[in-house]
Amino acid sequence: MKAGILAVVVLVQLNIINVHGWFWSCNPGKEGDGCSLFCPCGGDLTCEAWYHKCRAPGKKGDSCHATKPCGSGLTCEAGSHRCRGPGKEGDSCHATKPCGSGLTCEAWHHKCRAPGREGDSCHATKPCGSGLTCEAWHHKCRAPGREGDSCHATKPCGSGLNCEWIRHKCRAPGKLGDLCHMPTRPCGPTLSCHPGLPRRCYHDPREEGEPCWAGVLGSYGCKTGLVCRLRLNKLICMR
């Protein structure tokens, strides 16, 4: 008898039968209504496991757990079990309290940070913005070097420039007659760096009056119709 009464009480609590003991077909529950496996909630409401009540998705700051989820765009923070929106610049952050779009969670201070601008500090979890690199020595965001800027492995030169290894300066490919060396200060298209002192950029193949060479350092011959001849102790392309 006691077991039967207990079973009825449980079924009433779970909304499987009404107080008169009849099985019923319940309407979808509204906010705050009782709910169960057989009597679900309506719309976007969920049945909270602990209290068996229909709950709307949590708003920012509401309590939350596995069966009481947060609303769209919010996450359930693990420590406080509160619904939180994506962090803004400078907000605290961690695994269950992520940062908003375009921001990253800085590992050391656990703060949401935007990508670094030119001159900003940077490291592995505080990256630089588009087109910038994190300079290893000073940990600063740097744009690609322009002609004449200093450069090294983590401070590269811009498009079309090379980092000259002796002076560590960004240089454009050498023009006709410019000083050159290989491989960090090469000559431009259709030119080559002539061996000897000083090394300069000349046409490849050599034009009339330009120096020519044939030896262990390579062959830098004359264009068709010219020959390499010795003149004034120099090999010159001549007709």
Side-chain angles (χ1 to χ4, degrees):
M1 182 64 180
K2 290 182 179 180
I5 294 173
L6 180 60
V8 171
V9 170
V10 170
L11 293 174
V12 169
Q13 290 295 321
L14 295 177
N15 285 338
I16 297 175
I17 63 173
N18 62 15
V19 293
H20 299 292
W22 296 97
F23 286 88
W24 67 335
S25 177
C26 63
N27 294 320
K30 300 185 290 294
E31 173 78 16
D33 286 354
C35 56
S36 68
L37 177 64
F38 302 96
C39 194
C41 302
D44 62 347
L45 305 180
T46 56
C47 190
E48 188 179 3
W50 189 259
Y51 298 104
H52 295 285
K53 296 288 186 181
C54 292
R55 302 294 186 193
K59 299 185 287 293
K60 190 170 183 178
D62 287 353
S63 62
C64 56
H65 49 71
T67 59
K68 190 183 177 186
C70 300
S72 177
L74 304 177
T75 55
C76 191
E77 187 179 5
S80 62
H81 294 285
R82 295 286 177 180
C83 294
R84 305 293 186 192
K88 300 185 289 292
E89 172 78 13
D91 286 354
S92 61
C93 56
H94 49 71
T96 58
K97 191 183 177 185
C99 300
S101 177
L103 304 178
T104 56
C105 190
E106 187 181 4
W108 188 261
H109 300 287
H110 294 285
K111 297 287 186 181
C112 293
R113 303 295 186 192
R117 298 180 294 274
E118 172 79 14
D120 286 353
S121 61
C122 56
H123 49 70
T125 59
K126 191 184 177 185
C128 300
S130 177
L132 304 178
T133 56
C134 190
E135 187 181 4
W137 188 260
H138 301 288
H139 294 284
K140 297 287 185 181
C141 293
R142 302 296 186 193
R146 298 180 294 275
E147 173 78 16
D149 287 353
S150 61
C151 56
H152 49 71
T154 59
K155 191 184 177 184
C157 300
S159 177
L161 302 179
N162 299 285
C163 190
E164 187 182 5
W165 68 276
I166 295 178
R167 297 183 178 88
H168 294 284
K169 297 287 185 181
C170 293
R171 302 294 185 193
K175 300 185 287 292
L176 183 64
D178 284 353
L179 293 173
C180 58
H181 50 72
M182 296 298 290
T184 58
R185 198 177 181 187
C187 299
T190 73
L191 304 176
S192 62
C193 191
H194 193 76
L197 295 175
R199 290 174 177 252
R200 292 188 182 276
C201 295
Y202 294 103
H203 291 102
D204 190 12
R206 301 292 189 253
E207 300 280 355
E208 185 175 2
E210 293 180 348
C212 50
W213 182 278
V216 294
L217 297 179
S219 178
Y220 300 90
C222 304
K223 66 183 297 185
T224 303
L226 301 177
V227 293
C228 188
R229 293 178 179 174
L230 185 65
R231 188 177 73 177
L232 300 177
N233 296 323
K234 291 183 180 180
L235 290 170
I236 303 293
C237 289
M238 303 173 62
R239 293 190 181 276

